Amino acid sequence: EKAGFDHFMLKEIYEQPKAYRDTMMSRITEDSKSVELKELGMTVEYIKSIRKVHIVACGTAYHAGLVGKSVIETLARIPVENDVASEYRYRSPIITPDTLVIVVSQSGETADTLAALREAQRNGARVLAITNVVGSSVAREADHVLITWAGLEIAVASTKAYTSQLIAFYLLGLYLAETLGTQEASHIADVIAAMQQLPEQVDSILEQAAVLKQVAESISHHKHLFFIGRGVDYAVAQEGSLKLKEISYIHSEAYAAGELKHGTLALIEDGIPVIALVTQEELYEKTLSNIKEVKARGAHVLGIANAGAEEEVSKSVDELFAIPKTLPILSPALSVIPLQLISYYASLALEHDVDKPRNLAKSVTVE
Ligand code: M6R
């Protein structure tokens, strides 16, 4: 049932191109100019009444929501807040009938996420569930449902569910933007065209797995490391850090690149690995100067940057892994792939149980 792969996690990593296609399929019009999400059952009138969005989830799904915030704010210009589901109810969030609460859950059974959904509905807000399981508790109780068609995910470490959640947010952001008229039709068509290239671009990253295996093997000798980035790169850094901790048990922290010098830089010492995501063109210069700060303290930096920017970035890093060029907002759907593979191979090198890491369950049904 692992289809020739050594672990479910690796199989699921390689299933991502298909998961992207399946999640996009039938939601993009034949002329590739428009996103169709009638399945949500939201009227134009309702969409126009949304004043703010709360995205609530746990773990990896929370990290997908961080990208979702950028997507919805950039494309649809609706303000978005992110919350970890176990915190949401206890901070007395301001939930009004014009708040759309989006809960994100692979399993659709996470106790805290379900409780957040109920809290939102109790306060008169509508809930949209982005979930991978048709008929799950979250799917049944939500007012609107957007299914990610990633297929069954068995490994505890989420991979294809996360990236399918990103695709769901891109579709949703475009749909809201079209309905609200916040983007030119030509821009919408450009984003769709770039999305349609993602599956092949993921394949081209997967072809370079051997390079990432080497990176992972050298990382596996370390006790601590850092992931840094700005904007959506910071969101992906957080997901990369969680994945590595979860299955390799190596301690890591994700930091907003510009925030290091406000304290954490003190932890950078000779030889410490830093993985720097540098995919946001307008932030290159700033991130590169943050990379110089860690290099000056002896860090060994792996840069993950766009193809085409190698020359600019390679001068500042020790090693460079290039991902295919895409639109800035879509880059998480590519840049997370090398991080998933690094985590996988680090766990493998340390001989851990990749698919069933210690202390963890696939679905967390207690609060
Ligand atoms: O099923 P859910 O998406 O609600 O699960 C949420 C988290 O428990 C989950 O993403 C967890 O963080 C993963 N094991 C991370 O790989």
Side-chain angles (χ1 to χ4, degrees):
E1 71 236 69
K2 287 182 201 145
F5 288 95
D6 289 342
H7 296 96
F8 283 110
M9 183 183 179
L10 193 62
K11 170 175 175 271
E12 289 160 7
I13 288 174
Y14 277 79
E15 281 171 347
Q16 289 176 112
K18 177 173 171 4
Y20 286 30
R21 285 194 191 96
D22 290 350
T23 302
M24 278 188 250
M25 208 172 54
S26 79
R27 288 158 170 175
I28 291 173
T29 54
E30 242 173 77
D31 60 6
S32 295
K33 292 209 158 65
S34 190
V35 166
E36 188 47 83
L37 289 180
K38 276 210 192 79
E39 64 192 280
L40 290 182
M42 284 183 184
T43 61
V44 173
E45 199 186 10
Y46 170 67
I47 291 174
K48 289 190 170 157
S49 77
I50 301 169
R51 288 290 162 270
K52 58 180 181 177
V53 171
H54 289 174
I55 304 177
V56 188
C58 301
T60 285
Y62 171 76
H63 294 148
L66 297 177
V67 177
K69 171 185 167 78
S70 281
V71 172
I72 292 171
E73 290 188 340
T74 307
L75 293 173
R77 308 303 296 155
I78 306 172
V80 181
E81 285 175 48
N82 292 96
D83 276 274
V84 165
S86 57
E87 292 288 320
Y88 188 61
R89 278 174 300 155
Y90 310 110
R91 70 164 177 101
S92 63
I94 302 170
I95 308 169
T96 45
D98 56 10
T99 311
L100 171 64
V101 177
I102 304 179
V103 295
V104 190
S105 175
Q106 186 284 129
S107 62
E109 302 298 343
T110 300
D112 280 310
T113 308
L114 192 57
L117 172 156
R118 290 175 181 160
E119 174 77 4
Q121 288 176 334
R122 243 193 317 274
N123 285 279
R126 290 209 206 169
V127 176
L128 161 62
I130 296 181
T131 179
N132 198 37
V133 181
V134 180
S136 59
S137 303
V138 159
R140 277 185 279 116
E141 294 194 25
D143 303 278
H144 309 277
V145 180
L146 184 53
I147 297 289
T148 49
W149 294 107
L152 187 63
E153 191 182 65
I154 292 172
V156 167
S158 179
T159 53
K160 62 176 181 171
Y162 168 81
T163 45
S164 306
Q165 286 157 1
L166 299 183
I167 300 295
F169 274 116
Y170 296 138
L171 294 168
L172 180 67
L174 290 167
Y175 183 64
L176 295 176
E178 280 187 72
T179 311
L180 297 170
T182 46
Q183 300 295 325
E184 304 271 347
S186 63
H187 182 58
I188 302 229
D190 287 347
V191 178
I192 292 173
M195 280 176 73
Q196 288 172 323
Q197 288 179 22
L198 291 172
E200 272 177 38
Q201 293 177 319
V202 171
D203 272 326
S204 75
I205 297 173
L206 296 174
E207 280 163 19
Q208 299 171 68
V211 182
L212 297 162
K213 186 168 188 243
Q214 277 180 3
V215 170
E217 282 164 3
S218 68
I219 280 176
S220 69
H221 303 299
H222 289 266
K223 289 230 161 357
H224 307 280
L225 70 132
F226 288 90
F227 290 84
I228 60 170
R230 285 171 178 259
V232 288
D233 283 346
Y234 174 41
V236 175
Q238 291 175 70
E239 171 57 10
S241 175
L242 174 64
K243 206 97 306 171
L244 187 72
K245 282 179 280 217
E246 183 175 23
I247 56 170
S248 77
Y249 318 150
I250 301 171
H251 172 245
S252 68
E253 265 192 71
Y255 243 76
E259 187 66 8
L260 280 173
K261 52 175 147 328
H262 299 285
T264 307
L265 203 53
L267 290 173
I268 304 290
E269 50 186 14
D270 222 19
I272 197 159
V274 173
I275 299 182
L277 292 122
V278 203
T279 72
Q280 304 297 297
E281 232 164 290
E282 79 276 22
L283 299 170
Y284 277 171
E285 232 178 277
K286 300 267 157 142
T287 310
L288 291 180
S289 87
N290 300 136
I291 291 174
K292 285 194 191 106
E293 292 162 3
V294 294
K295 276 212 47 85
R297 274 89 187 168
H300 181 89
V301 181
L302 167 70
I304 296 185
N306 299 330
E310 288 107 323
E311 219 179 299
E312 209 175 334
V313 178
S314 63
K315 283 179 256 155
S316 313
V317 299
D318 297 288
E319 284 174 89
L320 182 78
F321 185 86
I323 56 163
K325 184 122 185 60
T326 185
L327 295 175
I329 196 85
L330 301 182
S331 72
L334 299 178
S335 61
V336 76
I337 310 285
L339 304 187
Q340 295 170 342
L341 285 166
I342 289 171
S343 301
Y344 173 77
Y345 286 117
S347 176
L348 200 64
L350 293 164
E351 297 177 17
H352 296 318
D353 189 345
V354 177
D355 285 335
K356 287 202 181 78
R358 66 187 183 200
N359 309 342
L360 298 170
K362 180 66 182 160
S363 185
V364 182
T365 51
V366 290
E367 289 185 26

